Structures are given as structure tokens and as C-alpha cells.
Amino acid sequence: KQEVTQIPAALSVPEGENLVLNCSFTDSAIYNLQWFRQDPGKGLTSLLLIQSSQREQTSGRLNASLDKSSGRSTLYIAASQPGDSATYLCAVRPYSGGGADGLTFGKGTHLIIQP
Amino acid sequence: SAVISQKPSRDICQRGTSLTIQCQVDSQVTMMFWYRQQPGQSLTLIATANQGSEATYESGFVIDKFPISRPNLTFSTLTVSNMSPEDSSIYLCSVTPGQVGMNTEAFFGQGTRLTVV
């Protein structure tokens, strides 16, 4: 059974710092990996999708990497801003379903950016 | 991408009653899923809602407790039956646009925050 772990569970840093959020998964047979942010009382917003054959994806100040063989992904946030405060979730889709199965989520990293 | 509308956004229900949550998508999608997020926890997959056939449930979830309908490619409902306080959670609908086998993103509705008293 796939298990996804996110470290740290919580992080509070001053504005402007560069951050690294970590995600690890136990079964490397994944179809893709997706990073989300969740704001209090809201649904999930997709940030980045990394296909199993890719090593990284970038969107603005966000960069996500994937090392499938070691079961790890990192989300790098450059020049953090107070608006980045949210819970960041990592999720993997299993390879076995051919991409048609649901996601397995980590418990998230609760991020606070201090002004 | 896909825009997902979930109703209701929140509800407070009496134990022993049932609540039906609706999920409407702005485009036809093959893959639609229902998740639960218990307080302080991450998301757990309840079931895959299959159009024209019965839903596929994950371990620990059963059809009698969480019946799902999927009458067409843009709409699904999840019913939480015979509710108890342990059912208090956020329930989220998710879709993955595109064809099976393609690497497409998952999108989520805003969720339904359910409190059972």
C-alpha cells in the first residue's frame, strides 16, 4: 500500500526566504505526482504536475523535482511571500491503474510566511 | 482544466440522517473521484465514480454507507448515509480531464464541510 510522507509538518519563516518542502513515497511505481495548496476552508489548487518520466517542473516561483527511483519529490518556493501561506499537499497517482486511479495524499506541510 | 461546483458548501446534520452532495463539472470527464478529509488529516480516496456503472470503493468504504451516482459525464452525487459524528469531515469531488492513459492534472471542487451533531 502506497504511503506518502511530507516533511516538515509545519514551517514558519520570514518573508523573502527560499523554501524546500519534502515529499517521499514508498512505492516508486507511480503514474505522476502532483503538488497542491489548500487554503483554510477552501478546496485544493493544483500547483504542479510531474509525469513519471520527468525530473522537474517549474511555474513562476515554484519548482518541483521528482526522483522516482528513490521515492522523493521536493517543492522549492523562491522568494516567499505572505500570500504563500497555506497547507501544501503532495499526492501520487499509481501506475497500476494506467492513470485512471485516484490519488494518495501526504498529510501536508502547513506553511506560514511572516511579513 | 475543469471548473467543479459542489453543493452544499457546508451543512450541519442530525445523526441518523443522510446528506447528498452534488458535484457538477463544466466539461465532460471520464474520471471522477470522491475524497474525504477528516479534521486535521489529509485526503483519503472514498471511491471512483464510474459513468454508467457502479462506483469502485476503496478499502474501508462501502456502498451502503456512501452510495454514489454518476448519471452522466458532468455530474455525480455522494450520499453520506445514517450519519454519526465520526462522519464529520470535508468531502471533496475531483476530476481528471482527458483520456485514460494521459498524464493530466487532477482538479478539485471547493468541498462540502459536514458537521454531524
Side-chain angles (χ1 to χ4, degrees):
Chain A
K1 179 185 174 184
Q2 178 75 270
E3 292 184 4
V4 179
T5 302
Q6 291 188 244
I7 296 173
L11 184 62
S12 180
V13 300
E15 180 178 6
E17 286 202 4
N18 301 323
L19 309 171
V20 176
L21 308 182
N22 297 291
C23 171
S24 62
F25 45 95
T26 55
D27 186 349
S28 61
I30 64 169
Y31 202 82
N32 56 37
L33 182 146
Q34 198 165 347
W35 283 93
F36 298 87
R37 67 175 281 168
Q38 184 175 30
D39 295 280
K42 303 278 182 71
L44 276 66
T45 301
S46 177
L47 297 174
L48 289 165
L49 171 73
I50 308 179
Q51 301 178 16
S52 61
S53 59
Q54 295 178 322
R55 297 286 292 184
E56 67 178 331
Q57 282 286 342
T58 298
S59 176
R61 293 183 293 108
L62 304 179
N63 175 276
S65 67
L66 174 64
D67 184 343
K68 194 176 69 168
S69 61
S70 68
R72 295 181 181 179
S73 176
T74 61
L75 180 66
Y76 177 82
I77 303 175
S80 58
Q81 304 171 357
D84 295 330
S85 298
T87 296
Y88 289 79
L89 296 167
C90 169
V92 297
R93 192 184 299 276
Y95 183 82
S96 58
D101 289 346
L103 298 169
T104 299
F105 281 83
K107 292 185 176 181
T109 294
H110 181 56
L111 177 63
I112 297 175
I113 307 299
Q114 306 154 11
Chain B
S1 67
V3 177
I4 303 168
S5 173
Q6 250 186 266
K7 293 180 181 179
S9 58
R10 60 177 60 226
D11 207 341
I12 301 173
C13 300
Q14 296 291 324
R15 67 179 66 200
T17 63
S18 298
L19 176 71
T20 295
I21 302 167
Q22 299 180 2
C23 177
Q24 179 75 52
V25 190
D26 68 341
S27 59
Q28 293 186 339
V29 294
T30 302
M31 293 173 278
M32 184 178 281
F33 307 91
W34 287 97
Y35 292 83
R36 180 176 73 180
Q37 186 175 29
Q38 294 177 301
Q41 302 297 314
S42 192
L43 281 76
T44 300
L45 179 65
I46 297 173
T48 302
N50 303 309
Q51 194 268 329
S53 64
E54 279 196 1
T56 304
Y57 290 84
E58 297 298 304
S59 176
F61 298 96
V62 295
I63 187 172
D64 290 346
K65 177 67 175 178
F66 298 101
I68 289 170
S69 77
R70 179 87 194 271
N72 56 53
L73 292 175
T74 63
F75 186 78
S76 177
T77 66
L78 169 74
T79 299
V80 186
S81 303
N82 188 26
M83 288 184 286
S84 66
E86 291 70 36
D87 295 320
S88 298
S89 298
I90 300 174
Y91 293 86
L92 298 108
C93 171
S94 173
V95 301
T96 301
Q99 299 297 316
V100 174
M102 293 177 59
N103 273 299
T104 58
E105 285 181 88
F107 297 93
F108 282 77
Q110 293 294 87
T112 296
R113 182 179 296 270
L114 170 63
T115 302
V116 183
V117 298

